[in-house]
């Protein structure tokens, strides 16, 4: 990572027409639980590209540039190899494609765990390069000091506890968390520590429903569940999972569509028409004038 930050003008939004909605802010998300009169669950989805962000933006409160792009975009087996520049580049694309939703970027493995200082440098780089509003990092009590350090220096942080995929090599897989009392207690304590450190929201991933209830009731910021029941203050999924574009999905995913089937069917038709010389026709062909 370069320590000399260059001004990146490409992050300015390219929206040509005025949009009907203003961008939500991090304080509004944090106040969701205490201030709001609507109290509807917060809606969050992942986004990795500008066009995807354009399509999701008006429907979501938060767009997460997740390090799940490892599996979804790059065909990597885990999120471990993801770099700061991969996250910065996709986050910049998502910011360009969005107007309304708060854009949050995952801090990749290895970019924040060492010290609050390392985390600040990495998070500042992500926000400078992308124009995103906030970062998300994995971990509980052990990251509380870092969350406070960043927040006090102008970088809002979303927490992520329970099933933390960057710890896959320690956890030994992606099984749901909190099946014994000690682990359940730890997850609730982790959520409370992040809340007290100033996290503006906390993702609860892959935890049993009683833990989601206890954590949600025990913190002042909203909780956002993924595989954590309907008892959280919000919900997140990986967009490609719910659209049916990713081949293997966790049990907590509802497949709303089968976009993979639509793509396969469409591409098969294209291939057939090209081979039969029935595409292109005169409609798609340039001819000299006169
Ligand atoms: N496409 C995608 N969706 C995700 O939700 C996701 C990613 N990628 N990448 C980063 C992490 C990894 N996550 C995962 C990955 C696998 C399982 C999974 O296979 N769960 C199994 C149970 C596994 C076990 O019990 O050992 C399941 O059937 O739910 C869960 C979450 C969640 N995140
Ligand atoms: C699944 C969400 C919470 C995430 O961290 C990701 O997409 O990387
Ligand atoms: Mg992630």
């Amino acid at each position: 990572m370069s320590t000399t930050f260059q001004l990146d003008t490409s992050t300015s939004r390219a929206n040509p027409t005025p949009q009907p909605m203003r961008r939500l802010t991090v304080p509004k998300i944090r106040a969701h639980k205490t201030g709001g009169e609507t109290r509807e669950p917060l809606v969050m989805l992942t986004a990795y590209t500008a066009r995807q962000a354009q399509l999701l933006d008006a429907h979501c409160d938060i767009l997460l540039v997740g390090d799940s792009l490892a599996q979804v975009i790059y065909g990597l087996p885990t999120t471990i190899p993801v770099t700061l520049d991969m996250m910065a580049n996709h986050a910049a694309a998502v910011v360009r494609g969005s107007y309304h939703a708060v854009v949050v970027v995952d801090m990749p493995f290895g970019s924040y765990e060492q010290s609050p200082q390392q985390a600040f440098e990495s998070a500042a780089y992500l926000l400078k390069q992308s124009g995103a509003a906030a970062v998300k990092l994995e971990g509980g009590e052990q990251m509380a000091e870092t969350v406070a350090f960043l927040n006090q220096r102008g970088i809002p942080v979303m927490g992520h506890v329970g099933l933390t995929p960057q710890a896959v090599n320690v956890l030994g897989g992606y099984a749901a968390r909190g099946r014994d009392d000690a682990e359940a207690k730890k997850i609730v304590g982790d959520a409370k520590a992040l809340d007290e450190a100033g996290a503006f929201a906390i993702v609860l991933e892959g935890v049993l429903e009683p833990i989601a209830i206890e954590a949600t009731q025990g913190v002042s910021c909203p909780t956002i569940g993924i595989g954590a029941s309907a008892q959280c203050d919000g919900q997140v999924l990986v967009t490609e999972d719910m659209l049916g574009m990713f081949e293997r999905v966790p049990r907590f995913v509802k497949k709303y569509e089968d976009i993979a089937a639509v793509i396969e069917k469409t591409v098969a038709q294209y291939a057939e028409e090209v081979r039969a010389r029935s595409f292109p026709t005169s409609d798609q062909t340039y001819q000299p004038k006169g």
Side-chain angles (χ1 to χ4, degrees), residues 72-255:
V72 176
I73 304 281
Y74 289 93
L76 292 163
T78 70
T79 55
I80 304 286
V82 174
T83 67
L84 221 39
D85 279 320
M86 287 161 79
M87 296 310 302
N89 289 335
H90 286 275
V94 168
V95 169
R96 283 182 218 117
S98 67
Y99 183 87
H100 163 70
V102 170
V103 179
V104 179
V105 195
D106 257 347
M107 300 196 74
F109 177 74
S111 72
Y112 64 94
E113 301 90 332
Q114 214 175 350
S115 66
Q117 289 75 13
Q118 184 208 19
F120 183 85
E121 191 172 340
S122 299
Y125 181 77
L126 287 176
L127 297 198
K128 278 171 180 280
Q129 294 294 313
S130 70
V135 297
K136 175 163 83 57
L137 52 81
E138 295 182 11
E141 211 211 306
Q142 83 279 16
M143 295 311 303
E145 186 192 346
T146 293
V147 170
F149 189 90
L150 266 55
N151 199 35
Q152 287 157 8
R153 287 160 180 77
I155 301 181
V157 182
M158 180 181 283
H160 181 162
V161 302
L163 171 48
T164 49
Q166 291 176 12
V168 62
N169 290 323
V170 170
L171 301 177
Y174 299 105
R177 311 298 299 163
R179 289 206 179 273
D180 65 68
D181 281 358
E183 200 174 271
K185 246 181 120 179
K186 187 185 179 315
I187 294 167
V188 173
D190 281 343
K192 286 182 179 170
L194 295 175
D195 182 46
E196 278 157 28
F200 72 93
I202 301 170
V203 168
L204 300 179
E205 177 167 355
V207 299
L208 308 189
E209 184 167 40
I211 300 173
I213 292 171
E214 207 181 323
T216 299
Q217 289 174 352
V219 298
S220 63
C221 70
T223 61
I224 300 171
I226 172 166
S229 84
Q231 307 301 322
C232 300
D233 302 303
Q235 175 69 46
V236 60
L237 282 177
V238 169
T239 298
E240 279 76 357
D241 290 351
M242 56 87 78
L243 291 178
M245 292 177 74
F246 194 69
E247 62 274 26
R248 238 193 90 248
V249 300
R251 213 197 92 182
F252 55 68
V253 173
K254 176 177 173 183
K255 263 199 191 187

Side-chain angles (χ1 to χ4, degrees), residues 8-25 49-51 53-54 57-58 63 90-104 127-134:
D8 187 358
T9 51
S10 68
T11 58
S12 63
R13 248 162 275 126
N15 248 321
T17 49
Q19 298 289 313
M21 283 188 282
R22 288 245 154 286
R23 198 181 282 279
L24 279 172
T25 61
T49 68
R51 184 61 181 142
Q54 285 177 338
D57 181 55
L63 292 178
H90 286 275
V94 168
V95 169
R96 283 182 218 117
S98 67
Y99 183 87
H100 163 70
V102 170
V103 179
V104 179
L127 297 198
K128 278 171 180 280
Q129 294 294 313
S130 70

